[in-house]
Amino acid sequence: MPAIHFKLRWPDGREMRCYSPSLVVKDHLTAGVRYPMPQFMRVVRVSLHTASERVRQKYGFACSMALDQLAAIEEVAQAYDDLAEVEVLGFED
């Protein structure tokens, strides 16, 4: 299963390199787009849960790295309000 990294820019300018065990993240996020925080969190939750489930279907267990990545994103996102935006800088195969 091909994994992918994606890079985010938070509202304060900080950048974060993130991991997904599946390319499905590219179906949900678009490079160069700024997402309002509530929309971004909905999309990234669906994306990483879907990626984890794809691992479960193939190997019989969820991907803890995808779920850990989601937890790290959620932790950072708590610092911002709903008016903040997150930019998806790009993807690295």
Side-chain angles (χ1 to χ4, degrees):
M1 180 169 297
I4 192 166
H5 287 89
F6 56 103
K7 198 167 188 180
L8 307 174
R9 180 177 293 134
W10 293 97
D12 64 2
R14 180 172 34 154
E15 294 182 4
M16 182 179 194
R17 186 172 185 252
C18 302
Y19 170 82
S20 172
S22 168
L23 300 178
V24 71
V25 71
K26 291 176 86 172
D27 294 340
H28 297 273
L29 296 171
T30 303
V33 173
R34 297 176 62 96
Y35 294 88
M37 190 63 66
Q39 178 187 4
F40 171 75
M41 292 309 300
R42 279 192 306 273
V43 169
V44 81
R45 284 182 185 116
V46 168
S47 177
L48 290 174
H49 279 289
T50 301
S52 179
E53 284 305 307
R54 286 188 175 184
V55 171
R56 182 188 309 278
Q57 290 170 358
K58 186 167 184 170
Y59 299 106
F61 52 85
C63 179
S64 61
M65 287 179 65
L67 301 177
D68 289 347
Q69 182 63 74
L70 178 56
I73 291 170
E74 287 177 333
E75 183 177 333
V76 174
Q78 290 177 10
Y80 307 104
D81 63 29
D82 287 351
L83 299 177
E85 293 183 331
V86 179
E87 183 178 2
V88 177
L89 296 176
F91 298 96
E92 304 167 6
D93 293 332

